[in-house]
């Protein structure tokens, strides 16, 4: 076995490493063809008014079903797609599919439901997002207010020269701009006031621990205070329990998303949830 080890600081060749490289290649090969083969779909997770349970928007989450690999979660394949660059095409598909769905809901008489999509930083760099978004809205005859874009904290940190201009152009279209998983990655406080965004999404990393874990409580409190004092909207992610909902309400967090309300839903299930009476009419 030692004969197989590579000298000079190269990584040792082990069966596990070989397996991992094999897996990576397999994922990347299938990923390349996935869009053409129609293997992606979107599910829609409700964003809910924490007081009344009314659905006020949806987050579109991508799902990939491949005949050989089975059902692949985004946490497993988005990073590969970012490495290979496939994320740009996938992201374009997500944008158009979300707009198509909102259009279809409108045709069916459900009104215009705002849908949030996730935008990878790589995708943000690769294309003129304001143009793709403008075109997708026009294609499906939608106002900008039908769409929300969620960016990772990286867009704050990297502070690329064109970011502010792109955000301004998106804002002029009427599109909502949000920083996803806020608080997870970096200390973004210095940057968050520089970009013309509408809101933050409090990371589920911290929501999970409330109301018992005191440091999670402190982070949630701090993010809520930041959002309030900067005049930003705030959505709590990963709300799983009634105790969490109560705690967040007390903090003044208006909106939540999580398994307490619903997971990502197929379009017709989502519409069914929209029509149902709220979960906490008497809260
Ligand atoms: P995210 O944007 O922060 O989305 C929230 C994730 O948390 C989703 O996982 C959702 O299913 C999960 N979640 C929702 N409620 C709860 C809860 O109460 N408890 C727990 N434990 N989890 C909850 P999902 O769908 O597996 O997506 C994972 C990540 O993959 C997303 O995190 C996002 O960063 C990325 N992603 C998903 N769809 C897309 C996409 O279309 N484009 C890009 N670029 N990234 C995407
Ligand atoms: Mg998101
Ligand atoms: Mg998130
Ligand atoms: Mg996340």
């Amino acid at each position: 076995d030692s004969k197989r080890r590579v000298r000079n600081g190269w990584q040792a060749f082990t069966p596990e490493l070989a397996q991992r490289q094999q897996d990576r290649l397999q994922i990347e090969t299938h990923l390349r063809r996935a869009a053409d083969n129609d293997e992606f779909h979107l599910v829609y997770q409700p964003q809910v008014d924490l007081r009344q349970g009314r659905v006020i928007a949806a987050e579109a989450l991508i799902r990939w079903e491949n005949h050989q690999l089975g059902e692949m979660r985004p946490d497993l394949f988005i990073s590969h797609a970012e490495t290979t660059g496939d994320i740009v095409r996938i992201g374009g598909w997500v944008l158009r599919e979300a707009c198509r769905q909102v259009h279809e809901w409108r045709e069916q008489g459900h009104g215009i439901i705002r849908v949030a999509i996730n935008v990878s930083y790589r995708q943000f760099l690769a294309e003129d997002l304001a143009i793709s978004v403008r075109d997708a809205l026009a294609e499906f005859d939608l106002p900008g207010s039908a769409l929300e874009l969620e960016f990772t904290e990286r867009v704050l940190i990297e502070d690329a020269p064109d970011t502010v201009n792109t955000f301004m152009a998106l804002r002029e279209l009427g599109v909502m701009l949000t920083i996803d998983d806020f608080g997870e990655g970096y200390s973004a406080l210095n940057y968050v006031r520089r970009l013309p965004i509408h809101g933050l999404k409090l990371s589920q990393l911290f929501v999970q621990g409330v109301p018992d874990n005191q440091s999670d409580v402190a982070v949630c409190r701090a993010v809520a205070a930041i959002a309030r004092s900067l005049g930003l909207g705030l959505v709590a992610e990963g709300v799983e329990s009634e105790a969490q909902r109560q705690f967040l309400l007390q903090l003044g967090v208006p909106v939540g998303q999580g398994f307490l309300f619903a997971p990502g839903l197929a379009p017709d299930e989502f519409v069914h949830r929209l029509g149902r009476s709220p979960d906490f009419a008497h809260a």
Side-chain angles (χ1 to χ4, degrees):
D1 196 49
S2 62
K3 256 187 276 167
R4 296 227 306 265
R5 294 192 182 259
V6 184
R7 272 162 305 221
N8 302 330
W10 288 87
Q11 191 155 21
F13 183 84
T14 64
E16 306 89 81
L17 184 62
Q19 185 59 51
R20 238 181 303 139
Q21 278 171 349
Q22 180 87 37
D23 290 350
R24 185 171 58 82
L25 276 177
Q26 239 206 344
I27 290 173
E28 288 174 5
T29 306
H30 286 292
L31 202 48
R32 214 166 301 136
R33 292 190 292 254
D36 289 336
N37 291 349
D38 245 4
E39 293 173 359
F40 295 122
H41 68 275
L42 296 179
V43 294
Y44 297 86
Q45 185 175 35
Q47 289 185 359
V48 164
D49 167 350
L50 279 178
R51 192 172 296 282
Q52 265 145 23
R54 208 166 35 94
V55 176
I56 57 175
E59 177 174 4
L61 298 162
I62 196 167
R63 296 291 178 262
W64 178 25
E65 273 175 68
N66 178 273
H67 60 290
Q68 269 179 46
L69 302 172
E71 199 183 295
M72 297 285 292
R73 299 235 105 211
D75 285 333
L76 282 175
F77 69 84
I78 291 289
S79 64
H80 290 287
E82 282 172 338
T83 312
T84 60
D86 286 322
I87 191 66
V88 181
R89 266 180 76 218
I90 295 173
W93 178 85
V94 170
L95 170 64
R96 289 189 66 255
E97 173 59 15
C99 288
R100 191 203 58 74
Q101 183 64 69
V102 176
H103 176 82
E104 184 182 310
W105 280 333
R106 175 157 83 165
E107 299 275 282
Q108 293 168 349
H110 298 292
I112 291 190
I113 298 150
R114 180 162 40 97
V115 169
I117 60 173
N118 293 281
V119 180
S120 137
Y121 187 65
R122 174 94 192 251
Q123 178 192 351
F124 177 73
L125 288 185
E127 59 178 4
D128 192 332
L129 202 57
I131 290 179
S132 333
V133 166
R134 188 200 59 196
D135 290 350
L137 291 170
E139 181 178 351
F140 295 101
D141 196 22
L142 294 175
S145 57
L147 198 64
E148 177 171 342
L149 303 180
E150 297 187 6
F151 298 91
T152 60
E153 278 177 298
R154 239 187 112 185
V155 79
L156 301 175
I157 308 308
E158 306 273 342
D159 207 20
D162 285 342
T163 301
V164 173
N165 289 337
T166 301
F167 274 42
M168 284 303 206
L170 288 165
R171 258 185 101 106
E172 270 161 33
L173 294 172
V175 173
M176 293 260 295
L177 307 172
T178 305
I179 304 300
D180 205 355
D181 301 328
F182 187 74
E184 239 179 63
Y186 312 83
S187 164
L189 292 188
N190 182 34
Y191 301 93
V192 76
R193 49 194 182 87
R194 283 209 231 154
L195 279 183
I197 54 174
H198 298 88
L200 306 173
K201 295 188 76 175
L202 174 58
S203 169
Q204 62 187 50
L205 212 60
F206 310 113
V207 172
Q208 260 159 28
V210 302
D212 298 326
N213 182 303
Q214 285 316 298
S215 64
D216 288 349
V217 165
V219 173
C220 289
R221 207 166 256 144
V223 174
I226 289 162
R228 198 171 316 121
S229 60
L230 294 176
L232 296 172
L234 187 61
V235 175
E237 298 189 83
V239 183
E240 293 184 354
S241 73
E242 178 56 25
Q244 289 167 344
R245 181 181 78 89
Q246 292 288 350
F247 173 85
L248 293 161
L249 255 184
Q250 270 176 21
L251 270 193
V253 179
V255 179
Q257 204 182 315
F259 297 158
L260 178 65
F261 314 113
L265 303 172
D268 46 336
E269 294 171 322
F270 179 81
V271 159
H272 184 248
R273 176 66 179 75
L274 264 187
R276 237 181 57 208
S277 57
D279 288 333
F280 332 100
H282 309 291

